[in-house]
Amino acid sequence: MNRTIPTLVGFSAILTWSFLALLSTAAGPIPPFQLAAMTFLLGGSVGAASWIVRPSAIRSLRQPWQVWAIGTAGLCIYHCAYFFAIQSAPPVEVSLIAYLWPLLIVVFAAFLPGERLKPHHIAGVVLGLAGAIVVITKGGSVGLAAGVKPGHVIALFCAFVWSGYSVLSRRFGQVPTDVVAVYCLITAAVALTLHLTLESTVWPQTPTQWSAIAVLGVIPLGAGFYAWDYGCKHGDIMILGAISYAAPLFSVIVLLLAGFGVFHWSVALACVLITVGALIAAKDMLLKPKREAAAETAARA
């Protein structure tokens, strides 16, 4: 199976996640678990709504317990743990640690059948990591300002959870993406429980805030997860891991274009590092069509 199209589908998920910060800001001061409950409910409902015209999709939900365990860990545990981490350690430090997941995806994917970790994969992901560090810290120093806190440990846990979910999804490549809708609904239920336990409800006050929540749920936290699942199962997962570092860069660019923040030289440097890293990591996919064309030409000669 040609991996190019599924890889591009997976990359489209990264593009949608670039709007998370902007949409979350536009949603207003909604408590994090309440926002997660609302948006994941929308994301899951979008997928479930299609079952009305695709009754066969409902039958495909009969899957082994391992599938549901991995999916629940991937979406539910990751996002809930990340919210806890953000609240118990400096957000920048949490983001840097949590963003080890693309690197871990590349490393873990080497153990999948038919996959092989090559030097250009390592080079690409290291450049991407460097770019992510530059854009998240705005070119500043990297370190744990006040020592190791529980939030740092939870952030590292998050990195292992999301990378593990992404790579293990490949082992269940025959499982249809429809199951992601249920993952989203489970996450919404858990987030709602945590919200009712830990937070006070704050409803959106303007049409703009309601619209931001709707778009957030339908696209980044809906379509984005469906695209990521398909890409991880059928695309080149090592390339996806390397180019995932584009997400924080794109997120900053989107915020700048929307008028939030001021341009900083770190954005330009991160753009170069992440782009070069992605091109290096995708070397095989980019050069394969040329090699195949050359071989075909030689065969005709």
Side-chain angles (χ1 to χ4, degrees), residues 2-229:
N2 189 311
R3 293 185 176 185
T4 302
I5 298 301
T7 302
L8 292 175
V9 171
F11 179 64
S12 72
I14 297 170
L15 292 177
T16 68
W17 296 339
S18 303
F19 290 87
L20 281 171
L22 175 63
L23 292 171
S24 297
T25 301
I30 309 299
F33 287 117
Q34 179 188 343
L35 184 60
M38 296 171 70
T39 51
F40 276 100
L41 175 61
L42 285 170
S45 299
V46 168
S50 69
W51 300 344
I52 298 175
V53 295
R54 296 186 305 115
S56 60
I58 299 178
R59 294 192 293 271
S60 70
L61 299 180
R62 299 180 61 181
Q63 299 294 336
W65 68 266
Q66 295 93 331
V67 172
W68 299 112
I70 292 171
T72 301
L75 267 67
C76 181
I77 296 180
Y78 172 84
H79 288 89
C80 291
Y82 185 79
F83 285 139
F84 276 114
I86 285 291
Q87 294 171 359
S88 54
V92 170
E93 296 173 5
V94 168
S95 295
L96 287 173
I97 296 173
Y99 255 105
L100 288 173
W101 64 260
L103 175 61
L104 293 175
I105 283 178
V106 174
V107 174
F108 293 161
F111 296 96
L112 290 172
E115 300 291 347
R116 181 184 173 190
L117 183 61
K118 299 179 181 179
H120 64 270
H121 290 135
I122 299 175
V125 78
V126 168
L127 284 172
L129 176 59
I133 291 174
V134 167
V135 76
I136 292 174
T137 63
K138 293 185 177 180
S141 59
V142 180
L144 304 181
V148 177
K149 296 184 176 181
H152 297 124
V153 178
I154 297 173
L156 182 60
F157 171 71
C158 288
F160 276 91
V161 168
W162 189 256
S163 57
Y165 160 72
S166 301
V167 173
L168 289 174
S169 293
R170 186 60 162 260
R171 300 300 299 267
F172 297 95
Q174 78 285 357
V175 176
T177 297
D178 289 291
V179 298
V180 176
V182 182
Y183 300 162
C184 290
L185 294 175
I186 293 174
T187 303
V190 174
L192 176 60
T193 302
L194 291 171
H195 163 65
L196 295 176
T197 304
L198 304 173
E199 301 173 335
S200 298
T201 301
V202 178
W203 292 110
Q205 299 298 310
T206 67
T208 298
Q209 292 178 350
W210 280 107
S211 298
I213 291 172
V215 174
L216 185 62
V218 172
I219 299 180
L221 300 183
F225 287 130
Y226 301 128
W228 182 252
D229 180 80

Side-chain angles (χ1 to χ4, degrees), residues 200-297:
S200 298
T201 301
V202 178
W203 292 110
Q205 299 298 310
T206 67
T208 298
Q209 292 178 350
W210 280 107
S211 298
I213 291 172
V215 174
L216 185 62
V218 172
I219 299 180
L221 300 183
F225 287 130
Y226 301 128
W228 182 252
D229 180 80
Y230 183 79
C232 287
K233 287 177 178 176
H234 306 291
D236 191 314
I237 193 168
M238 290 190 178
I239 293 177
L240 282 176
I243 61 179
S244 291
Y245 281 118
L249 171 63
F250 290 162
S251 180
V252 170
I253 292 175
V254 168
L255 287 170
L256 289 174
L257 293 175
F260 294 93
V262 180
F263 179 80
H264 190 268
W265 62 264
S266 59
V267 176
L269 177 58
C271 187
V272 173
L273 289 171
I274 292 171
T275 300
V276 172
L279 291 173
I280 292 174
K283 178 174 73 71
D284 290 340
M285 189 175 74
L286 295 174
L287 296 180
K288 185 178 179 180
K290 295 182 178 179
R291 288 197 297 263
E292 289 177 347
E296 184 178 345
T297 301

